[in-house]
Amino acid sequence: MNKPADKVDFLVTENNVGVFKKGMTVKEVLDIVPKVHIKKVVDKDNYENSYDDYQYFDTSKTHLLTLTPTIRDDIQSKIN
């Protein structure tokens, strides 16, 4: 059984968005969020620089948030 969400689960401040906190690593995010809610997207920007983003979706498959690591392809990298 899932526990009811606390108001803090949805709190947006200067240093966090819900459970995502400034300074968390990609690995920490992947450890706390069910895999079905995260999608890794690898792409290139207009200058041909490649990047990887982790898109977070709710249970309705609505895209809520994109997390970008500071170092590409490194799950120990901190999110921006």
Side-chain angles (χ1 to χ4, degrees):
M1 177 170 18
N2 292 335
K3 73 172 187 77
D6 295 327
K7 288 182 181 178
V8 74
D9 290 342
F10 303 101
L11 184 65
V12 177
T13 69
E14 181 179 343
N15 293 314
N16 67 289
V17 175
V19 298
F20 306 111
K21 295 176 178 56
K22 185 176 184 177
M24 286 181 83
T25 65
V26 172
K27 181 179 180 338
E28 289 172 321
V29 170
L30 296 175
D31 287 346
I32 63 170
V33 174
K35 304 275 187 263
V36 300
H37 294 288
I38 293 283
K39 177 182 177 187
K40 181 179 178 179
V41 177
V42 178
D43 207 349
K44 292 185 179 181
D45 63 16
N46 292 337
Y47 303 103
E48 295 299 314
N49 298 311
S50 63
Y51 63 88
D52 55 333
D53 284 337
Y54 292 84
Q55 296 179 345
Y56 177 69
F57 296 85
D58 68 7
T59 54
S60 302
K61 300 190 191 271
T62 301
H63 177 231
L64 299 176
L65 180 70
T66 299
L67 305 169
T68 305
T70 53
I71 301 171
R72 185 173 50 91
D73 287 331
D74 181 2
I75 66 169
Q76 295 300 329
S77 178
K78 294 182 179 182
I79 58 174
N80 285 328

